[in-house]
Amino acid sequence: MNNTDQATQAPVIFTPSTLLDHWKGHRKLTRRMIEAFPEDKLFTYSIGGMRPFADLVYEFLGMAEPGIRGIATGKWEKWADAEKVSTKKELLELWDKATEAIDRIWPAVPAERWEQQDVAFGQWPGNGTSFIFYFIDNEIHHRGQAYVYLRSLGIEPPAFWDR
């Protein structure tokens, strides 16, 4: 490699491992948000017509395991655990089950899938990396709603930077 080649190569900012760590940091914070909600508000409380936080969590769950499985295989199937639960404990169990699946499936993603073009869930064109960023961005966006909910209930939410 000559000096010109070295000067034009972009540095690697995210490896699959660092991307997974980043996503899991957000997932840990979202889990703490679920824990912070009073049981009687998690499934029902909303402001201004926004969805209750549990409904937003179902949306995250619908992207997490099915999303990484789609990235790994190119098969984009809906979330198998779409049946709604009725307690915080059950919701946290679904969350933990999805995290375990992410950890199990992630190493099986073929290297080429990170940049290979696809359409996630028949809706979003992109590649494996962009899909993970979308999942993270969506979670951050809706987690912001949960911060507003908790503050309106007089509850101090977990620090957003503590991932």
Side-chain angles (χ1 to χ4, degrees), residues 43 54 58 61 78-86 90-91 94:
F43 296 90
Y58 292 133
L61 289 168
K78 293 193 180 212
W79 181 39
D81 291 327
E83 184 175 323
K84 295 192 175 179
V85 296
S86 59
E90 291 171 316
L91 191 61
L94 288 176

Side-chain angles (χ1 to χ4, degrees), residues 56-153:
L56 302 175
V57 172
Y58 292 133
E59 184 176 310
F60 308 152
L61 289 168
M63 290 182 197
E65 180 180 351
I68 192 60
R69 190 176 309 286
I71 292 167
T73 66
K75 295 180 179 123
W76 297 91
E77 299 172 1
K78 293 193 180 212
W79 181 39
D81 291 327
E83 184 175 323
K84 295 192 175 179
V85 296
S86 59
T87 68
K88 183 191 310 189
K89 179 181 183 279
E90 291 171 316
L91 191 61
L92 288 167
E93 287 170 356
L94 288 176
W95 191 262
D96 294 342
K97 183 179 171 187
T99 301
E100 290 169 7
I102 291 166
D103 286 339
R104 186 177 61 254
I105 298 166
W106 191 276
V109 175
E112 67 275 5
R113 288 291 293 159
W114 293 113
E115 295 305 319
Q116 185 177 9
Q117 292 298 304
D118 202 346
V119 179
F121 303 110
Q123 299 181 72
W124 313 307
N127 60 41
T129 303
S130 69
F131 298 145
I132 297 296
F133 279 121
Y134 179 85
F135 303 159
I136 294 168
D137 290 347
N138 184 68
E139 188 172 325
I140 292 168
H141 165 74
H142 288 308
R143 193 172 60 227
Q145 290 175 242
Y147 276 88
V148 172
Y149 292 170
L150 287 174
R151 288 192 184 282
S152 76
L153 292 166

Side-chain angles (χ1 to χ4, degrees), residues 14-26:
F14 276 100
T15 64
S17 177
T18 58
L19 183 57
L20 176 60
D21 290 345
H22 184 77
W23 187 19
K24 286 178 63 176
H26 282 286

